[in-house]
Amino acid sequence: MPRYVYLDHAATTPVDPHVWEAMKPYCLNVFGNPSSLHLFGDRADEAVHQAKREILHLLGANQGKVVLTSGGTEANNLALKGVAHMYQQQGRHIVVSAIEHDSVLSACTALEKQGFTISYIPVDSQGKINLYKLEQMLTEHTILVSVMHANNEVGTLQPIDTIGQLIKAKRLKQGTKTPFFHCDAVQTLGKIPFQVEEWGVDLLSFSAHKFYGPKGVGGLYVQRGVRLSPLLHGGGQEYGWRSGTQNVPGLIGTAYALKQSHERQPEDWNRYVKLNTTIREGLQALPGIQLTVPASLALPTHIHFLCQQIEGQALMQELSKKGIAVSTSSACHAHYWAPSHVMLAMGYNDEQAKQAVRISLGRGVTSEDIHYFLQQIKEIIRTFRSSHALS
Ligand code: PLP
């Protein structure tokens, strides 16, 4: 039997069997349309409300709304375009970090074409944003700041609570409603306990398939008092912000998966820290490996490294032949190659960006898997170096 080792959980996770069981009745029995005004509709509608209450509670929110979306990409687009179009009378300036996910950066490009001005916060060589620069970029015309909680490629965590307080202080000083603070938490929700209200986050994107829920489901948390211009027009579901019949089983699965992740969080976190240490020590013992972000600054699920003189794509393919799945950059990018904007923003050149590999841990990974991975990568690098006569 060949051995399969999946080390690409930042791209996606499998649906947990308990999540699947929780969703099933909402596919088969409680199948009503939540907008229908009869008992079948009422039952579905009650399930939607209950699931959203649970999600709000797990986000650390007493108030506010959860808008159901088709995932992180839509949630990010709704946050950026929804705020931009709703608050453009107040200003047409948006601040985002240079290493945001493409769904944020591409939404910004679209807004730039409509006359909005976007400022990009630089990061250091480890992917940390420059808080001083962020503060300097804020003007009375800034309506939104968007900074991701953890970067999907390199895993670097940002000080979300500090940013939230900084933006709140700016609003207070100006006596204005804006700027709002949006956080893309697609890589962190389910891995870290959340306190959105305490942290001062006004809008927060998440995606269920990153925490053992179904694909194609996610949401946007919206703090009380924030209004949005819709992306989709129609029947007026989801507070008029996202028309279309709700994906009830998907929402049930999201709430269940989040609750389960929350309960398992301390135990999972400790296990990832141990596995992460083993991988880092193992990789550091190999010739020509450079870890980009230290463990102390990143999610314990992420290990990002360069292998000098070997392209990440080639390394990934060789590992794949051995049954091991890793990634070269964001999964959404995996079918074409362009130097990662994250690596470039961190000061690496095109060649180094080509050498990047990401390992991302998840629940099913064992220490035997890591042992096997380290053995295989060592052998692959040795073969590469001898066949290419590289030093
Ligand atoms: N934001 C981040 C940080 C991500 O990592 C991803 C997906 O990899 C997304 C947004 C997009 O999420 P989705 O796949 O649910 O559209």
Side-chain angles (χ1 to χ4, degrees), residues 340-375:
S340 143
H341 66 279
V342 178
M343 295 281 295
L344 297 183
M346 287 163 66
Y348 291 94
N349 60 32
D350 280 16
E351 196 190 335
Q352 290 167 317
K354 263 191 187 172
Q355 296 164 350
V357 174
R358 174 187 74 186
I359 295 169
S360 48
L361 301 172
R363 287 178 198 162
V365 183
T366 62
S367 28
E368 289 74 30
D369 291 336
I370 298 309
H371 183 66
Y372 176 69
F373 160 73
L374 288 171
Q375 252 181 354

Side-chain angles (χ1 to χ4, degrees), residues 72-74 76-77 80 100-108 184:
T73 299
E74 189 190 329
N76 283 341
N77 271 270
L80 272 284
E100 292 300 302
H101 187 264
D102 277 331
S103 50
V104 167
L105 295 179
S106 300
C108 286
D184 173 350

Side-chain angles (χ1 to χ4, degrees), residues 10-12 70-74 76 100-104 148 150-153 184-187 205-210 216-218 330-332 358:
T12 197
S70 62
T73 299
E74 189 190 329
N76 283 341
E100 292 300 302
H101 187 264
D102 277 331
S103 50
V104 167
M148 67 201 324
N151 181 265
N152 43 302
E153 289 180 38
D184 173 350
V186 166
Q187 288 294 335
S205 302
F206 57 90
S207 180
H209 75 103
K210 307 290 186 180
V217 196
S330 144
C332 330
R358 174 187 74 186

Side-chain angles (χ1 to χ4, degrees), residues 79 83-84 87 90-96 134-146 163-183 200-203 223 225-227:
V83 167
Y87 292 93
Q90 266 98 311
R92 303 193 108 210
H93 179 231
I94 294 170
V95 175
V96 301
L134 160 56
E135 205 167 358
Q136 278 191 324
M137 283 173 176
L138 300 178
T139 74
E140 77 250 46
H141 303 297
T142 313
I143 48 171
L144 185 69
V145 176
S146 185
I163 300 169
Q165 297 319 319
L166 195 148
I167 292 166
K168 245 187 188 172
K170 178 74 181 172
R171 282 200 298 254
L172 270 176
K173 194 168 160 213
Q174 292 180 166
T176 51
K177 265 192 141 188
T178 55
F180 297 121
F181 176 32
H182 167 247
C183 177
V201 176
D202 301 305
L203 300 119
Q223 154 95 294
V226 178
R227 290 180 304 134

